[in-house]
Amino acid sequence: MKVFKKELKALKKRQSTHAPAAQEDTFSFTDAMVGVKPLAQDKVEPNKQVELFKKKQQSSAKNLKHSKQLAASFNFSDMYQAVLPQEGPMRYCRSDVPTHVLKQLRRGDFSPELHLDLHGLTREIAKDEIAALIYAARKDLVDCACIMHGFGQGVLKAALPHYLVQHPHVKAFHQAPLEYGGKAALLVLLDVPVMAGKQ
């Protein structure tokens, strides 16, 4: 910048010596830039198609994540109280499921492939975990899962059966055999979607 100012002063002096004083007032920036080459454009314009494609991919990924979360969620009610047996082990069988399934669950004929431990969780978090377990089991075509509620103060032990009864994909549940947790757990039998290739 200093060099430019010096050149500008030198140019003014040259013009003042060659031109009359009236021309000094008309000296402009354009006159000073005579002979200067403009810089070439070094910016690259972004490809708008690529930008649009990236935005669509990001929004579809967000939508997919949101739809998976919606599919894995289920609104369990704390107000709903199912009619469950007061004596004997905790058990339930949906009306369209044969009752001998309860005997099979009690004996351990079904072995759970998925286990969920609810120890230390609040009721709200437990509801989300139960819904996610059922979603994951159906997705992986697992028909039996074990949910361990523990003993503690008995809050989850009392609430869990009422939550499970509300879910449309729970066919039956029974207090787990000793090898899967006994009185501190439930074996849950689920409706699994039938694959086209399986009979």
Side-chain angles (χ1 to χ4, degrees), residues 56-139:
K56 283 182 182 177
Q57 276 188 328
Q58 288 172 350
S59 66
S60 65
K62 285 179 185 175
N63 289 340
L64 180 64
K65 185 178 178 183
H66 183 66
S67 65
K68 282 183 178 179
Q69 287 175 342
L70 282 178
S73 66
F74 183 82
N75 292 326
F76 294 104
S77 171
D78 285 318
M79 302 303 292
Y80 182 79
Q81 295 292 314
V83 178
L84 295 168
Q86 299 298 317
E87 295 179 7
M90 182 53 66
R91 61 199 179 277
Y92 161 79
C93 187
R94 207 167 62 192
S95 59
D96 63 334
V97 177
T99 54
H100 73 277
V101 169
L102 289 175
K103 193 180 284 186
Q104 291 174 320
L105 281 169
R106 186 186 76 226
R107 285 192 311 233
D109 291 351
F110 292 97
S111 59
E113 295 179 50
L114 292 176
H115 295 265
L116 175 63
D117 190 353
L118 300 177
H119 282 97
L121 300 182
T122 64
R123 288 170 86 153
E124 292 306 312
I125 297 173
K127 285 192 250 185
D128 292 340
E129 292 296 323
I130 294 164
L133 171 80
I134 294 171
Y135 173 76
R138 286 178 48 80
K139 182 180 163 198

Side-chain angles (χ1 to χ4, degrees), residues 185-198:
L186 290 176
L187 277 188
V188 183
L189 191 64
L190 302 167
D191 252 338
V192 176
V194 179
M195 299 301 286
K198 283 190 171 182

